[in-house]
Amino acid sequence: MSTDSIFAKDLRRLPVLENSPLFLMTVLTRLHRNLVHGKLREHADVTLEMLLGMHIIFENQPIKQQSLANYLMYDRSTAKRTVDNMVKRGWVKTMKDDNNQKTKLLALTESGEEIKKVCSEVVFETRTEFMDCLTEEENKELTRLCTKALLAHHK
């Protein structure tokens, strides 16, 4: 690594962290989330997780709440909280499954589809700016390597 450090100037270098790809990915993800959330707040009271949920719902509607949780790799209570927040904002509607009354199905409302559209553009632009420090080939390689590691540990 160069003499530049990922840490604030008043903190000493810690190679145990600087040489850890998983730590670096966590920090990079956190920085990106904070940047995206700041830009999203200008348009709606939406989080990146809600927006990802809206994309999944849109592509699979009506979708079981548990299926949404599985896509997002959330536990049941986290998925419920996310869905409840989207329902409260009028972006998602719930309905009972005719085959199983205990199963909650989800679909986007017109308002949800509009928020998804507008905010997805913001996220795309922000991600493009954020990752602009890498070439197109480097971005593809990063995606390939992350996918490879994820598939190696996929249950």
Side-chain angles (χ1 to χ4, degrees), residues 29-41:
T29 299
R30 192 174 300 138
L31 288 171
H32 178 255
R33 281 186 76 237
N34 290 344
L35 180 64
V36 168
H37 285 163
K39 294 200 178 204
L40 286 175
R41 271 194 284 286

Side-chain angles (χ1 to χ4, degrees), residues 60 62-70 97 100 103-106:
N60 298 283
I63 183 175
K64 294 177 184 177
Q65 184 168 304
Q66 185 57 52
S67 295
L68 176 65
N70 294 343
D97 185 344
N100 182 349
T103 302
K104 188 184 284 189
L105 297 176
L106 310 171

Side-chain angles (χ1 to χ4, degrees), residues 42-81:
E42 298 171 15
H43 300 275
D45 183 21
V46 63
T47 64
L48 191 54
E49 292 76 18
M50 287 181 196
L51 191 57
L52 291 171
M54 284 190 258
H55 277 278
I56 293 164
I57 293 167
F58 180 78
E59 293 294 327
N60 298 283
Q61 56 191 336
I63 183 175
K64 294 177 184 177
Q65 184 168 304
Q66 185 57 52
S67 295
L68 176 65
N70 294 343
Y71 270 111
L72 293 171
M73 297 181 192
Y74 284 176
D75 60 35
R76 188 179 302 249
S77 64
T78 303
K80 181 182 181 333
R81 187 171 48 254

Side-chain angles (χ1 to χ4, degrees), residues 127-141:
R127 182 179 61 223
T128 301
E129 290 171 18
F130 189 79
M131 297 304 286
D132 195 36
C133 57
L134 301 178
T135 67
E136 185 177 341
E137 293 77 30
E138 289 169 331
N139 269 292
K140 287 178 183 176
E141 182 67 0

